[in-house]
Amino acid sequence: MIMAAVTLNDIRAARERIAGKIERTPNVLSSSLSERLGVPVHLKLEHRQTTGSFKLRGASNAVASLSADEKACGVVAASTGNYGRALAHAAKLEGMRAVVCMSRLVPDNKLHEIRRLGAEVRIVGNSQDEAQKEVERLVAEEGLVMLPPFDHPAIIAGQGTLGLEMIEQVPDAALVLVQLSGGGLASGIAAAVKGVSPGTKIIGVSMARGAAMKASLDAGHPAEVEELPTLADSLGGGIGLHNRLTFAMCRDLLDDVILLSEDEIAAGIRHAYAQEREIVEGAGAVGIAALLAGKVKANGPVVALLSGRNIDMALHRTIVCGEKPSLKERAA
């Protein structure tokens, strides 16, 4: 068995720590996708999680793991949107200060929700790497505690609780499709699922435009990529050139990585709405999109994760009506 930096025991401890702070989300069988693939296809409806994405699991575990002195200092992080919202929610429950640093590529609807939850928002530069520099400044000058969105053991363990639910709900799963960005979600789920069911394959799914983890895995080390506007905006951002955990865990635990075009992602959003009656953002739809694109083959049950729902509804209407969003709309 592959040894992971975050273990199955860490993930089980995280589940106990965040019990009552998150929802155990449903799993449903998709008749349309099952018929298309020829095997049962299950959808894990994590987009129904409080704050609208899986990010609340990691944020809740990380905040709950802080000491009283650390909580008094407040927390800061860079985010492409969903993690910032989750961290703001978790910090608000503890009465803590939270500052979220983001690039100009983050959609306005996500900025609004973070502010609504009481966090301070700093918009810095055109990439998550630039936003991270502001995080480091706030840590140095104001003493805030940094809780990074993915490369942190408590974050990975928290996201891994989702993997425990997935394999409990579909114990005979042959394949799990998981969103791949900085790797906190993919590595946590892979550690949990393979810890319980070593034969289950885990495939990471990302967009073709600026997939940092895929570029890093291909290079054999953490690599920088240009961040580009994409429908899967939650999957944007680098993995950090000094990545400590998620690069190695994804390298060791993922069986494959699939990249999708913008048109394929849009098709996933449309299918989720028209056939599954679910509203998901671009990143949330990539598992469905990979199945629709014929990029996945399986000889047993498949679980596809719907990871988030925080899409601008005007953009969603454009997509489900069959119109092609402009590049400007994708970056808005």
Side-chain angles (χ1 to χ4, degrees):
M1 177 181 170
I2 297 169
M3 296 301 293
V6 174
T7 68
L8 182 59
N9 285 339
D10 295 328
I11 295 166
R12 285 173 169 156
R15 176 152 71 172
E16 292 183 10
R17 195 175 292 119
I18 64 177
K21 297 179 180 179
I22 63 149
E23 299 291 331
R24 180 182 174 92
T25 51
N27 171 85
V28 298
L29 184 68
S30 168
S31 57
S32 62
L33 293 172
S34 297
E35 183 177 349
R36 177 183 288 263
L37 210 65
V39 296
V41 175
H42 300 261
L43 302 178
K44 176 61 169 169
L45 307 184
E46 183 65 10
H47 64 300
R48 297 187 187 179
Q49 185 60 254
T50 307
T51 74
S53 86
F54 72 92
K55 291 285 190 177
L56 187 61
R57 295 173 183 266
S60 296
N61 190 47
V63 167
S65 300
L66 295 175
S67 68
D69 287 344
E70 288 172 325
K71 289 179 180 179
C73 292
V75 293
V76 61
S79 173
T80 54
N82 283 340
Y83 176 65
R85 185 173 178 176
L87 185 62
H89 178 88
K92 184 177 182 179
L93 290 181
E94 295 285 343
M96 295 166 51
R97 180 188 180 195
V99 181
V100 181
C101 302
M102 293 176 286
S103 83
R104 296 186 184 96
L105 294 180
V106 175
D108 287 341
N109 66 300
K110 294 185 177 181
L111 300 179
H112 172 76
E113 286 301 315
I114 293 168
R115 290 190 176 108
R116 186 183 63 80
L117 287 165
E120 302 167 40
V121 172
R122 308 283 176 93
I123 306 299
V124 184
N126 294 310
S127 72
Q128 193 169 25
D129 288 337
E130 291 180 78
Q132 179 61 30
K133 292 177 183 177
E134 176 68 4
V135 171
E136 292 164 4
R137 185 190 70 78
L138 290 169
V139 170
E141 296 181 10
E142 298 188 23
L144 291 167
V145 176
M146 179 173 64
L147 289 180
F150 53 86
D151 195 32
H152 187 288
I155 297 291
I156 297 168
Q159 318 303 29
T161 64
L162 184 49
L164 290 180
E165 289 181 20
M166 295 166 86
I167 202 65
E168 288 166 356
Q169 290 165 330
V170 189
D172 58 344
L175 173 65
V176 171
L177 297 172
V178 59
Q179 287 71 6
L180 180 62
S181 180
L185 174 66
S187 59
I189 285 179
V193 171
K194 287 186 178 290
V196 175
S197 177
T200 301
K201 291 186 176 180
I202 312 290
I203 294 180
V205 189
S206 195
M207 69 289 175
R209 293 173 60 85
M213 183 61 81
K214 178 63 163 67
S216 299
L217 293 171
D218 288 346
H221 57 79
E224 287 184 328
V225 298
E226 180 185 3
E227 283 188 52
L228 299 168
T230 171
L231 288 176
D233 55 87
S234 295
L235 302 184
I239 72 165
L241 293 181
H242 302 291
N243 186 286
R244 299 180 303 124
L245 298 170
T246 61
F247 170 76
M249 290 182 69
C250 286
R251 179 195 63 205
D252 294 344
L253 293 171
L254 294 183
D255 294 284
D256 198 3
V257 175
I258 293 170
L259 298 184
L260 300 170
S261 70
E262 295 299 294
D263 287 344
E264 288 168 339
I265 295 168
I269 294 171
R270 281 193 296 271
H271 177 94
Y273 182 74
Q275 298 296 324
E276 312 298 342
R277 304 296 192 264
E278 301 291 344
I279 294 174
V280 294
E281 60 188 274
V286 296
I288 290 176
L291 294 170
L292 294 176
K295 295 185 174 181
V296 175
K297 292 183 174 59
N299 57 7
V302 175
V303 182
L305 174 63
L306 277 58
S307 59
R309 67 168 185 256
N310 298 321
I311 188 171
D312 178 85
M313 291 309 295
L315 175 60
H316 189 267
R317 284 192 295 274
T318 297
I319 295 168
V320 299
C321 289
E323 302 172 30
K324 194 177 182 71
S326 70
L327 196 61
K328 183 177 180 181
E329 284 179 301
R330 295 179 191 196

